[in-house]
Structure formats: structure tokens, C-alpha cells
Amino acid sequence: MAIDASEIQKVAHLARLSIDDSQVEATAGTISNILDLVGQMQSVNTDNVEPMAHPLDATQRLREDVVTEPNNREKLQSVAPAVEDGLFLVPKVIE
Amino acid sequence: MYEKTLSELSLSEQSQALESGELSSVELTQTYLERIKQLDSDYNSYITVTEELALTQAKEADERRAAGDATALTGIPVAHKDLFCTEGVKTTCGSNILDNFVAPYESTVTRKFKEASAVMLGKTNMDEFAMGSSNENSHYGAVKNPWDTKAIPGGSSGGSAAAVAARLAAGATGTDTGGSIRQPASHCGITGLKPTYGRVSRYGMIAYASSLDQAGPMAQTAEDCALMLNTMAGFDHRDSTCMDREVPDYTATLNDSLEGMTIGLPKEYFSTGLDAAVEQRIRDAVAEYEKLGARVKEVSLPNLELSIPSYYVIAPAEASTNLSRFDGARFGHRCDNPADLMDMYKRSRSEGFGEEVKRRILVGTYALSAGYYDAYYRKAQQIRRMIRDDFMNAFEQCDIIMGPNAPTPAFNIGEKSDDPVAMYLSDIYTLSVNLAGLPGMSVPAGIVEGRPVGLQMIGRHFDESRLLNAAHRFQQATDFHKASPFKA
């Protein structure tokens, strides 16, 4: 299945990636080839086949709703690009 | 005495020498650190070498052993794939986006090695975010195969495989999402085991595709892998997909007889595309098993070819969501002077991720986007069940499945790097095992034109003991695992 340049830019935006204008055509070509490969699935009849999310059909384990982990904020924020007063700093969101 | 032969000793032999007092961990660790300094510039198998930490741990291990409190791995120098978070040590996942990341916590797998007082020599090179079959997609450069530095080592645990093959570590951890332990083990002539999904905790492993990722041991022999798996396996409340099942002693059954065991050979594993010389090595290995008392039966995995499209939807889809956490806000690379939040996200990610990672994120985002979910992700998961059911049917007729790991021996560096689809097709024999969540293993089975070939063995869910038993008996009857790039 072919995907064109404008569609690639749309998907890239959804994925929060930027693709250089000079690379868009080539990227569209490569992604189209991969979609052709995975498109082989479409010819297979999967009526009445239950999708499989976990190979052992296990379900998510639940736990008591109690705090079990210590507060490691300082340690975890020590690797952040920018923090202030225990908060992550990012470019201004609200003018 | 050990100075000369040290690098040829297996992990279990080293363990015995440590236990008898013939060898100290400090001595052993120094020897490996020296070898890494001398040789690793040829292979690029390590991203980070933790020399000082290793020597401290070795000293502590010797003290622990002297106090009579040792485990089999106490004092053994190992290396960890650089996607296991190691507290206080750089953890890059082979990516520029994590080039500045010093993990603030410890993964369960590496914690278990620490608790056993194994020595960490360093962190091994890998395909970025474990995406690749050749180990050419690392921000830190391609890893080279110690058997032939023109060849790829296989990916994505190529650094771990090359380090063990070049005797730059006694054993190493790897992870396998679509064959990433078995393929590099096969191409580098070592033994590697991907356990059942859920057998080993994924806590602290940087996630690629969560329903497929599995950590496992890589070493010279099946016995070594059994010792390592004894340490790695087990329930972890921190990983909600980890299975709460008893862990057997994997060394206890290594010598069991193979009399009466039935080997299933899937006819689809021996069809077009398989290199004739590779096929011969596999058939010779199977014949060796018959001598050991096993019976051989042809079985069928009719949907094998569909594992490629199914995997290359599920893995990128899960990757696209897992990798959304790399946004430049909380850890990892952030671009300079972002204009606004969107600019920060897009530039940080685009500067940080390599080409193959971006490609898979795009495919995954597309497959999950509105209007395409049913056609791609749901369809892929339906096919996944069909593939799993094929295995279940095959295991009604046999105890263990055997075949190749890859269609050819290791190809040359650069040979397939411009053609992702050709690269993806080389995963045909390994992907289905991850989709079905089964344990799989690679054991050395000979050399083709100077490059190793491994036999793949696939077991029933949680039947790692049988794989290790079968591999061990094979290794007692053959010498393939003893070959090394230095005495080939």
C-alpha cells in the first residue's frame, strides 16, 4: 500500500517527529515498501479468530490500592534537562 | 596458570576455579579488563566499561566467597546489554537520545546479578532500542563479528554476543524481541536462550515491544546459560506481565537422558531461501540428536510466513507508544532553544532517534492511527493467535522443535543496510517464537565459510529445562561450542 508525501508528514506530526522536506519522498518510499510487506496479512481470512494480546492469555494482575514505592522525586529529576522547585521545566505553554 | 587459558574457560569452569580457590575474582576481572583494553577496539562490543566498579565488586566477591556465602555467579565477570537500567551507570540503549542518561534505578535482572555478587564489566553495544537484526543501527557504531570483522554479529544483542565470542566477558545478558538473542548467538558461535515470555522480569529494561521483549542469558555453553538463568528467572511484583511460577534449578536436569524425546522439524523451516550449507549443519545436528536417542518427526507451522507481517505491525505499534516517553521533557536529549512545546518534542526526538527507530515509529503510528487500527493491529493480533495455535498443534506431536536461526550465516556489514524489507525477511525463523511467547535457544552447530551457524531449538511454554538439557547433551557429544575465533 503506497503512502504519499503529505500522508507521511501527517503521520510524522502524530508521532512528534519532523522529517526534512528533502527526505519526505524517500521516507514515503521506504514506508510504502514496509506497508506492502505487512499488507500480506490482508489476504488471510481471520473471521472468528480472537485477537491475542498476551501469548499466555494472562490478564493484568491487580494489587491493593496502597502506596508501595518511596518518593524518589529528587533522584528521578536529577536526570531531567530542566527542573525548578520539583517541577519539570518546558517551553511556555500558556501565553 | 590461569593467565594463559583463562579466556577459554567457560563460566562454570571459572566458577569452579573460584570455589576451589585456584583463582580470585580480582585476578579474573583484571584479566578481562585487560583483554577489553587490548581487543575491543576491533569489535566495538562495549559502549561503557565500568573498570573501577568491576574491581570493587570483584574484591567484594572474593570477600563474600571467603566468608563462605557464595553463589555460582559470585565473582564471575559478566556484561549487560545497554538497555538494562544500571543505577549510577550510563544506560544508552544504543541511542543518541539517551547518550546523557545515567539510570536513577536498577533493573530487576541486573539487581539479581548484583545480589549474586557477579561482577559487571560494563554495558554492551546494541541496535538502537533493540531494533535490528545486524547491530549496524547503534549510535555508537556497528559491532563487528569476532569471527570475521567484515561480518555483522547479528542483532540486536550483537555487543553481548561479540563480547562472549571474543572472550571479553564470561557471560552476558541479552534481550530478544524477534530473535535478538538467538540470531547474534548463532552468528557469533555462542549459546543463547530466550526464555518464555514472562519468565524473567522486564522491570528496568528499556521497552521496545512490551508483549514480545524477553531477557535471557548468552554464554559459551548451555550449562553457563543454566547458571545465569537460575539467577535471572522468577516472579517480580514490579512487572505486571511477569509470571508467578516456581523456578526450577536449571542445572539439575542438564544431564537427563534424551532417550525417547521427539524432535519436530517444521517443513516450512527447510524451504526455499535457506542456504544449503546452513541446512546441512542443521540436519547434521539433528542426526547427532538421533544418536543420543531422540526421534525425529516432520511437523508443520503453516502460518510461518505470516509471522513477518504480523511482527512488523505489532512490534512497531508497541514501539511507537513505548517511545512516546522520549519527549525531551523529563530525561534524555532535549534540543537547544526550543521555540515552543511542539518544537521541543519534534526536534528532541528527531535529533535523538536514528533512522531505523524513526522508521518503526512511523509504521507503528500509522498502524495505530484512526481508521487503520482494525486493518493492521487487530489483524496482526489475530494472525498472532493463528501462529501460536500452529505451535500448540505441533507440540502435540513433539517435545522440541528444531531448525535454523537465520537463512544464511552472518552477512557482510553494509550488505542489507539500505533495504529494510530485505533485512526484516532475515528474521523469518525467529519472530514466530516471540509472537507465541515460547522459549527458544541457539547452540553452535558448525562453521560455514568461516562463519558460525547455530541450531535453533524451540520448547513448550516454561520448558526451558528441556531446552537446556537438550543443548547440554549435544554439547557433551560435540565440540562446536568450544571453537573460538582465536583457534578456528
Side-chain angles (χ1 to χ4, degrees), chain A residues 64-85:
Chain A
E64 291 296 306
D65 186 18
V66 292
V67 177
T68 53
E69 294 292 316
N71 180 357
N72 284 327
R73 185 164 67 182
E74 261 180 49
K75 201 169 173 190
L76 295 171
Q77 287 195 330
S78 66
V79 291
V83 286
E84 193 177 294
D85 298 335

Side-chain angles (χ1 to χ4, degrees), chain B residues 311-328:
Chain B
Y311 176 89
Y312 279 102
V313 168
I314 291 172
E318 295 183 5
S320 73
T321 59
N322 276 325
L323 271 54
S324 65
R325 63 170 64 95
F326 297 93
D327 56 5

Side-chain angles (χ1 to χ4, degrees), chain B residues 146-210:
Chain B
W147 288 82
D148 181 347
T149 51
K150 290 192 297 298
I152 58 133
S156 66
S157 310
S160 291
V164 172
R167 312 299 187 230
L168 303 181
T173 51
T175 65
D176 191 314
T177 305
S180 282
I181 286 176
R182 290 159 286 156
Q183 281 189 24
S186 176
H187 289 327
C188 291
I190 65 160
T191 307
L193 169 66
K194 179 203 97 73
T196 309
Y197 179 77
R199 176 81 285 190
V200 175
S201 171
R202 291 188 298 111
Y203 177 79
M205 259 169 68
I206 297 170
Y208 159 22
S210 306

Side-chain angles (χ1 to χ4, degrees), chain B residues 469-483:
Chain B
N469 165 219
H472 180 67
R473 293 302 298 250
F474 180 72
Q475 291 183 335
Q476 289 197 312
T478 62
D479 281 337
F480 302 122
H481 62 293
K482 290 183 184 160

Side-chain angles (χ1 to χ4, degrees), chain B residues 209-221:
Chain B
S210 306
S211 78
L212 304 164
D213 294 342
Q214 181 62 67
M218 304 173 81
Q220 286 183 43
T221 68

Side-chain angles (χ1 to χ4, degrees), chain A residues 1 7 13 15-16 18 41-42 44 46 49-52 54-55 57 60-61 69 75 79-81 89, chain B residues 87 102 104 197 235 238-240 242 330 334 342 346 349-350 366 372 375 379 381-382 385 388 435:
Chain A
M1 178 175 168
E7 218 169 347
H13 173 70
R16 301 296 184 257
S18 55
M41 295 188 308
Q42 306 309 334
V44 182
T46 53
V49 179
E50 188 67 23
M52 190 174 98
H54 188 292
D57 286 326
Q60 193 85 335
R61 200 172 57 246
E69 294 292 316
K75 201 169 173 190
V79 291
L89 287 189
Chain B
E87 191 172 357
V102 175
Y197 179 77
F235 177 66
R238 287 192 160 100
D239 172 3
S240 65
C242 194
R330 291 154 301 136
R334 177 184 291 191
M342 186 60 80
K346 284 191 176 178
R349 289 165 63 76
S350 300
Y366 179 80
Y372 294 109
K379 189 89 179 174
Q381 288 207 316
Q382 288 173 314
R385 183 173 298 277
R388 201 270 309 254
L435 290 168

Side-chain angles (χ1 to χ4, degrees), chain B residues 425-460:
Chain B
L425 294 174
S426 69
D427 299 340
I428 177 79
Y429 301 125
T430 48
L431 299 176
S432 55
V433 174
N434 300 72
L435 290 168
L438 299 164
M441 193 165 181
S442 176
V443 291
I447 308 282
V448 170
E449 290 172 16
R451 298 179 182 182
V453 167
L455 168 73
Q456 182 176 202
M457 301 194 291
I458 304 163
R460 296 188 180 105

